[in-house]
Amino acid sequence: KAGVTQTPRYLIKTRGQQVTLSCSPISGHRSVSWYQQTPGQGLQFLFEYFSETQRNKGNFPGRFSGRQFSNSRSEMNVSTLELGDSALYLCASSLRLAVNTGELFFGEGSRLTVL
Amino acid sequence: QQQVKQSPQSLIVQKGGISIINCAYENTAFDYFPWYQQFPGKGPALLIAIRPDVSEKKEGRFTISFNKSAKQFSLHIMDSQPGDSATYFCAAKTQGGSEKLVFGKGTKLTVNP
């Protein structure tokens, strides 16, 4: 069974640009969550989608947005990139609402570098 | 803001020794406490988890101890092996309207052969 797939794995952008990251969850999983991982702040919750609806949102500015498609695949977008957005962006999927069990299955992440 | 504080930041243990990682939380509205293991270049993977109505859970060499009154929980790795070298994250799930996982900042464990 394929795991959570994230694309692209690495990308470099410049300040002011925008970026879109993609996540394909494990087959059958309908919940997708996004986390930002940095050395200083660790893993921080961005948002969670279930059945194409945003169910939870973390404390990030509106430049961070996401969506989920009918096949459960999800994308997140960051607009007007800042240097501080450089991070590993992790997607996690779950069979049901992720936080009901804490059993998240993470992808390997998309490493974003903003120059 | 809901927080989970994790210590130590880094830990070096000899092969066969016991690794202990501690976490403390402030918010009593947490109702599930998982631990994740992350190897370099990989995403975190669920290692073991506990609910607050249980004081201890053991799975192989890994044990979670939970002290509800002190709002603390810890991970013990018995007979630590070089293959256990990774970063470990504790986490807590919030209940209520805005459910999400709140992670500690991680502990980098190195097990020397």
Side-chain angles (χ1 to χ4, degrees):
Chain A
K1 195 173 189 180
V4 177
T5 303
Q6 292 189 245
T7 57
R9 290 291 315 279
Y10 304 92
L11 66 167
I12 300 174
K13 294 286 187 178
T14 57
R15 281 181 297 174
Q17 288 187 310
Q18 72 166 12
V19 66
T20 298
L21 308 177
S22 179
C23 172
S24 293
I26 292 172
S27 178
H29 285 195
R30 296 171 61 194
S31 171
V32 173
S33 300
W34 289 89
Y35 286 81
Q36 181 194 65
Q37 185 174 22
T38 59
Q41 298 300 317
L43 282 151
Q44 292 188 290
F45 175 79
L46 280 157
F47 28 65
E48 177 199 354
Y49 287 87
F50 180 75
S51 296
E52 302 178 65
T53 302
Q54 187 180 90
R55 297 303 180 103
N56 294 297
K57 190 177 188 303
N59 298 322
F60 278 81
R63 300 185 296 107
F64 292 81
S65 62
R67 58 177 176 169
Q68 186 180 34
F69 302 96
S70 58
N71 61 358
S72 295
R73 190 176 70 84
S74 177
E75 290 181 347
M76 69 162 283
N77 183 275
V78 187
S79 62
T80 319
L81 284 167
E82 301 177 359
L83 295 178
D85 297 333
S86 295
L88 180 68
Y89 290 89
L90 291 160
C91 168
S93 77
S94 176
L95 192 59
R96 48 186 176 168
L97 266 180
V99 290
N100 282 347
T101 64
E103 293 182 37
L104 303 181
F105 295 84
F106 283 88
E108 295 188 337
S110 293
R111 183 165 295 281
L112 170 65
T113 300
V114 182
L115 301 177
Chain B
Q1 187 174 357
Q2 300 167 343
Q3 285 188 338
V4 175
K5 296 181 180 179
Q6 183 173 347
S7 63
Q9 280 188 314
S10 62
L11 180 61
I12 299 174
V13 175
Q14 292 300 117
K15 178 182 176 181
I18 302 174
S19 303
I20 302 175
I21 303 171
N22 300 300
C23 286
Y25 62 97
E26 299 171 349
N27 192 320
T28 57
F30 292 136
D31 64 357
Y32 188 76
F33 301 87
W35 284 86
Y36 281 81
Q37 179 188 55
Q38 185 177 28
F39 293 104
K42 302 292 184 181
L46 180 65
L47 186 64
I48 187 173
I50 197 168
R51 296 195 182 278
D53 53 349
V54 176
S55 62
E56 185 175 283
K57 183 175 182 180
K58 184 177 181 180
E59 291 185 0
R61 297 184 293 108
F62 301 90
T63 300
I64 300 178
S65 297
F66 187 84
N67 186 328
K68 188 174 182 179
S69 60
K71 300 180 189 175
Q72 295 175 345
F73 57 111
S74 60
L75 175 69
H76 294 231
I77 305 174
M78 310 300 288
D79 187 25
S80 298
Q81 299 297 312
D84 297 330
S85 297
T87 300
Y88 293 82
F89 294 92
C90 61
K93 180 186 80 67
T94 58
Q95 59 185 5
S98 180
E99 294 183 309
K100 66 182 181 182
L101 278 181
V102 179
F103 283 87
K105 292 194 175 181
T107 296
K108 184 176 182 180
L109 172 65
T110 301
V111 181
N112 289 327

